[in-house]
Amino acid sequence: MAHSPNALMIRKLDSIFSLSDEERQVLGSLPVQVATFKPDRDIVRIGDRPSQSFMVLQGFTCVYKLTAEGKRQIVAFHVPGDLPDLQSLHLKVMDHSVATVSACTLGFIPHEALYDLCNRYPRITAALWRETLVDASIFREWMTGIGRREAYNRMAHLLCELLVRLKAVGVAEDETFDLPVTQTELADAIGASTVHVNRVLQELRADGLIRSRGTQIQILDWDRLKEAGDFDPLYLHLRQDGKA
Amino acid sequence: MAHSPNALMIRKLDSIFSLSDEERQVLGSLPVQVATFKPDRDIVRIGDRPSQSFMVLQGFTCVYKLTAEGKRQIVAFHVPGDLPDLQSLHLKVMDHSVATVSACTLGFIPHEALYDLCNRYPRITAALWRETLVDASIFREWMTGIGRREAYNRMAHLLCELLVRLKAVGVAEDETFDLPVTQTELADAIGASTVHVNRVLQELRADGLIRSRGTQIQILDWDRLKEAGDFDPLYLHLRQDGKA
DNA sequence: CGCTGCTTTGAATTCTGTCAAGACGTGTGG
DNA sequence: CCACACGTCTTGACAGAATTCAAAGCAGCG
């Protein structure tokens, strides 16, 4: 299932602008170093000054921050095809940490190579910039949920988002997907306690919106889940056909 | 007090990279259309497809989203020197709305002019890109607060952030600044109810952390306010000297 | 089979929201 | 110059969402 990192990148950027042959070629020859990580490992830490960014090739990663009290907030999940750490290209010091959630395969690309790329291909710059803007849009949506929606609805919203994003990169089909994320991590993502996430998931099941077996999540009633989550995919800025 | 829009932009970007004379000149000749807005007016709305971005020259603006239930979450405040709507350069459809909070003077710049600029000056592209990344960093910090800190601490955090940001652009000096924002708006920003914001502000006053007279906020005990807010300015990505 | 980590339950507590009403302040109009 | 109106701020009482603490099931894995 592990795509070639370069192929994944090309596919991603190509879906935004139609890349020229030259652009494809340059992207194809980017030096990418592939590495695997176990679940729950920090990839970059707050305070670090990374000299490379990476693309998720397999698995789930998350971006998180800790409060002084030691509470954790996950501010983003990233799935195959995402570039969770692009911002380190222009913000030298990490203001957050990035970690694996499941076991992951990652493709690291030196900043140098990206700078070079950006200097020569403004359209690729724009595409990468756009990626970071979509991330920011998702932050806004999550913040709105955490600030103004109840836990039940936030959970529904998160499940909607994940299904749509996973479908967009072809990692999910139909209404089922693998969610290798513990309830504690879900809690950190929606800003609730583990106990409460547990109860909210039970409610979603009882209401017939979802079903789960192990880490598999099945959406039983997409329309009602969408409504419960107040989910409108506009903020994901996907193309009309729902592809990334 | 209204700076020339171009001068403000040059100053901002110059503080990130030292601009060359040519870059200064190009920025100085950007076509900027200045307009004034009354308080509480939408500047761009969700669903719009703007053909220009703008810089705040005077006043406060906010970025907000509404839930299906009609609740509002303010996800960002913007102050003079900020470019609240830069992302519309690459994300065609607005996923949120932007509005004035106080009366504002804004400088609009056509996207066309910005595209042109970016195609010719990669360093300016990088500086603008960086602006949007700092916005995203602030989203992450706010999300962490809303998800994991209590209202009292979020309020303290917000006041810390505003003081630092206003100082960075020279709109605040010492420990006092003008906050032309109602308690309802503060509530929408920290994800709390108006009533609760009122009580939290009273607590902050009672604890001797702040004082307020009208819209003027005075920080009485910066160290304790910082601690209460769990505030570390790292995420603002300012230069060492605290300038924007 | 026994860890270890994750999920599930129950009960008590606390933070925060909602509702409703009154106080305050400023600008307008008579 | 005073009365009035409107928006904002402030208070009190109550309800509800969600947290915390604690303990008991479960499941996968060596």
Side-chain angles (χ1 to χ4, degrees):
Chain A
M1 250 311 194
H3 302 272
S4 141
N6 302 56
L8 203 51
M9 169 96 89
I10 290 173
R11 177 177 154 196
K12 183 118 191 175
L13 301 191
D14 191 39
S15 74
I16 298 172
F17 302 111
S18 298
L19 295 171
S20 71
D21 287 342
E22 187 188 352
E23 287 164 339
R24 273 166 208 280
Q25 195 168 30
V26 180
L27 285 170
S29 62
L30 264 187
V32 180
Q33 192 190 333
V34 175
T36 61
F37 281 71
K38 296 194 169 148
D40 242 323
R41 295 289 193 278
D42 279 347
I43 303 163
V44 222
R45 287 204 182 84
I46 186 166
D48 285 357
R49 297 166 163 273
S51 60
Q52 50 186 1
S53 291
F54 65 89
M55 176 178 264
V56 180
L57 303 177
Q58 270 189 315
F60 278 59
T61 64
C62 72
V63 175
Y64 72 89
K65 301 190 78 154
L66 298 173
T67 68
E69 280 189 320
K71 294 185 177 176
R72 180 168 81 152
Q73 177 68 44
I74 291 178
V75 299
F77 284 123
H78 289 282
V79 302
D82 288 336
L83 295 151
D85 193 24
L86 249 193
Q87 106 272 301
S88 64
L89 203 56
H90 294 297
L91 297 180
K92 289 307 153 205
V93 182
M94 295 293 292
D95 56 77
H96 60 262
S97 300
V98 187
T100 57
V101 174
S102 64
C104 284
T105 311
L106 310 176
F108 288 87
I109 310 162
H111 282 171
E112 243 177 82
L114 290 170
Y115 285 133
D116 191 49
L117 201 61
C118 288
N119 280 327
R120 288 189 291 150
Y121 301 93
R123 276 158 39 100
I124 292 178
T125 309
L128 293 176
W129 186 352
R130 186 182 189 280
E131 284 295 301
T132 65
L133 293 172
V134 172
D135 271 340
S137 175
I138 298 175
F139 293 153
R140 287 190 289 270
E141 182 66 23
W142 282 34
M143 204 194 303
T144 304
I146 297 173
R148 291 302 187 209
R149 288 193 262 257
E150 309 207 329
Y152 178 88
N153 310 279
R154 298 206 291 279
M155 194 68 236
H157 185 101
L158 179 57
L159 295 175
C160 289
E161 178 183 310
L162 288 174
L163 179 63
V164 169
R165 288 172 60 192
L166 291 171
K167 271 184 163 175
V169 290
V171 176
E173 283 169 40
D174 308 319
E175 260 52 56
T176 302
F177 62 97
D178 190 49
L179 187 64
V181 179
T182 65
Q183 293 186 3
T184 302
E185 288 161 337
L186 290 174
D188 286 342
I190 69 169
S193 68
T194 307
V195 172
H196 202 232
V197 161
N198 184 280
R199 290 177 175 138
V200 151
L201 284 172
Q202 286 179 57
E203 262 191 272
L204 287 169
R205 286 190 283 249
D207 292 346
L209 301 185
I210 64 168
R211 189 157 60 177
S212 59
R213 208 163 60 269
T215 59
Q216 293 293 115
I217 299 278
Q218 182 181 4
I219 309 301
L220 294 177
D221 192 331
W222 173 249
D223 288 337
R224 281 203 298 142
L225 188 69
K226 219 175 125 176
E227 197 192 332
D230 189 9
F231 179 76
D232 176 349
L234 171 68
Y235 74 98
L236 293 173
H237 296 278
L238 299 171
R239 297 186 311 175
Q240 284 77 358
D241 59 7
K243 296 298 175 196
Chain B
M1 247 314 196
H3 302 273
S4 141
N6 302 56
L8 202 51
M9 169 96 88
I10 291 173
R11 179 177 152 192
K12 183 117 190 177
L13 301 192
D14 192 39
S15 74
I16 298 171
F17 303 111
S18 298
L19 296 171
S20 70
D21 287 342
E22 187 187 351
E23 286 164 341
R24 273 167 210 281
Q25 196 167 27
V26 181
L27 285 171
S29 62
L30 264 187
V32 179
Q33 191 190 335
V34 175
T36 61
F37 281 70
K38 296 194 171 148
D40 242 321
R41 295 289 192 281
D42 280 346
I43 303 163
V44 220
R45 287 205 183 83
I46 187 166
D48 285 356
R49 299 167 162 270
S51 60
Q52 51 186 1
S53 292
F54 64 91
M55 175 178 264
V56 180
L57 303 176
Q58 271 188 316
F60 279 59
T61 64
C62 71
V63 174
Y64 72 89
K65 300 191 79 156
L66 298 173
T67 68
E69 280 189 322
K71 295 185 176 177
R72 180 167 82 150
Q73 177 68 42
I74 290 179
V75 299
F77 284 124
H78 289 282
V79 302
D82 288 337
L83 295 150
D85 192 24
L86 249 192
Q87 106 271 300
S88 64
L89 203 56
H90 294 297
L91 298 180
K92 289 309 155 205
V93 182
M94 295 292 294
D95 56 76
H96 59 263
S97 299
V98 187
T100 57
V101 174
S102 64
C104 284
T105 312
L106 309 175
F108 289 86
I109 311 163
H111 282 171
E112 244 177 81
L114 290 170
Y115 286 133
D116 190 49
L117 202 61
C118 288
N119 281 327
R120 289 190 291 150
Y121 302 94
R123 276 157 39 98
I124 292 178
T125 309
L128 293 176
W129 186 351
R130 185 182 190 280
E131 284 295 301
T132 65
L133 293 172
V134 171
D135 270 341
S137 174
I138 297 174
F139 293 151
R140 287 190 288 270
E141 182 66 23
W142 282 34
M143 205 193 304
T144 304
I146 297 173
R148 290 303 187 209
R149 289 192 263 256
E150 308 206 331
Y152 177 88
N153 311 279
R154 299 206 290 279
M155 194 69 237
H157 188 283
L158 178 57
L159 294 175
C160 288
E161 177 183 311
L162 288 174
L163 179 63
V164 169
R165 288 173 59 192
L166 290 171
K167 272 185 161 176
V169 290
V171 175
E173 285 170 38
D174 308 319
E175 260 52 57
T176 303
F177 62 97
D178 190 48
L179 187 64
V181 179
T182 65
Q183 292 185 1
T184 302
E185 287 160 339
L186 290 174
D188 287 342
I190 68 169
S193 68
T194 307
V195 172
H196 203 231
V197 161
N198 184 280
R199 291 179 172 135
V200 152
L201 284 172
Q202 287 179 58
E203 263 192 90
L204 287 170
R205 285 190 285 250
D207 292 345
L209 301 185
I210 64 168
R211 190 156 60 178
S212 60
R213 210 162 60 270
T215 59
Q216 293 293 115
I217 299 279
Q218 183 181 2
I219 309 301
L220 293 177
D221 192 330
W222 172 249
D223 288 336
R224 280 204 298 141
L225 188 69
K226 220 175 124 176
E227 198 194 330
D230 190 8
F231 179 77
D232 176 348
L234 171 68
Y235 75 97
L236 293 173
H237 296 278
L238 299 171
R239 297 185 311 175
Q240 284 76 359
D241 59 8
K243 295 299 176 196

